[in-house]
Amino acid sequence: MNFSRPGAIDLSALKQPQARPGQPAAGGGGSYVVDITEQNFQTAALEASMSHVVVLSLWSPRSPQSESFNAMLGGLVSQYGGQIVLAQVDIDANPAIAQALQAQAVPLVVGLVKGQPVPLFQGTVEEAEARRYFDELVNVAAQNGVTGRAQPTGDAAEVPEEAEEPEDPRFAAADAAFAASDFDTAVAEYEKLQAQYPADTEVSERLAGVRLLARTQGVDLQAARSAAADDPDDLDAQMLVADLDVSGGHVDDAFDRLIQLVKRTSGDDRERVRQRLLDLFTVVGITDPRVATARRALASALF
């Protein structure tokens, strides 16, 4: 993923407990295309991304290439058979979404996997390049346990498809708390599940992801960076910036910051940093090559 922007992407302000499902996009563009608004963002984008990949396409009626580009993306996602849903966001009508995603220009395309934003690209690209990004995004999602398929909208919805597996009832209480932006309760519920199922990787991944959201919710990025720069030995300040970097897609920067901190700490402080790093490894995905590289660097720092 080559496109990234500085700073964390905080979507917590867009979560609406009474959100409505997304509506099929006007004018078609593919059977797996929905229009997203600030009101339905939680249900149609964040919650949907817990079961299948969601690709947000931010566009504007004032951008001449936006509509034709969305049409190309809509046709492309239809070829994935429900693995990807294209969620179109008119930033003029929904400025809060654009602000949360730090959109400085459109088109802007961002993936969502388990509620986590994955920056893809800004500006228009050729279909072949978009396909390459989408293929990689589907692979990343599968590595993190997101393998579901969405039901098509419009006429295609009448085509019978294999039924999706039902939601795991173990996660009901935690998911309800997450949907209400009650991260503390969601963390507590996932911690209970982890105690019951210590070998369940999905529980660990969900817990790590919600912990990250809880730690970064409402944090001012510039203030956090200033605090870390002013005091390089402040563990909390350094770990918070690492959290924000992972949220914003700057994974290597986050890992390097914490590994350097491991090198210059000892005892309980070193263990705190090591545990935070392991938590972020889980968020990023244990099969991600960046995690493998960071694990080797961590081992060298420790021994």
Side-chain angles (χ1 to χ4, degrees), residues 17-137:
Q18 303 300 321
R20 299 186 303 276
Q23 298 300 314
S31 58
Y32 297 94
V33 181
V34 295
D35 284 327
I36 294 295
T37 68
E38 292 165 9
Q39 289 70 42
N40 67 23
F41 186 87
Q42 180 182 334
T43 300
L46 286 180
E47 293 181 11
S49 72
M50 303 300 288
S51 60
H52 58 261
V53 175
V54 174
V55 170
L56 298 171
S57 175
L58 277 66
W59 69 285
S60 168
R62 295 175 289 108
S63 171
Q65 72 270 36
S66 281
E67 292 193 31
S68 60
F69 186 59
N70 271 345
M72 183 274 285
L73 294 179
L76 179 58
V77 301
S78 69
Q79 299 172 30
Y80 286 80
Q83 288 180 296
I84 301 175
V85 166
L86 181 68
Q88 300 177 163
V89 182
D90 177 350
I91 65 167
D92 294 344
N94 302 280
I97 298 178
Q99 182 178 9
L101 291 167
Q102 302 172 9
Q104 298 179 2
V106 292
L108 171 64
V109 180
V110 177
L112 280 180
V113 176
K114 285 188 173 179
Q116 293 290 323
V118 182
L120 297 180
F121 52 86
Q122 189 167 30
T124 60
V125 299
E126 296 296 325
E127 182 173 341
E129 186 175 358
R131 186 190 304 278
R132 179 174 64 83
Y133 278 107
F134 288 2
D135 286 346
E136 180 62 22
L137 186 61

Side-chain angles (χ1 to χ4, degrees), residues 235 239 265-275:
L235 267 61
M239 290 192 294
T265 53
S266 60
D268 291 342
D269 286 348
R270 171 178 280 196
E271 180 59 18
R272 280 186 63 205
V273 179
R274 187 184 75 87
Q275 288 295 336

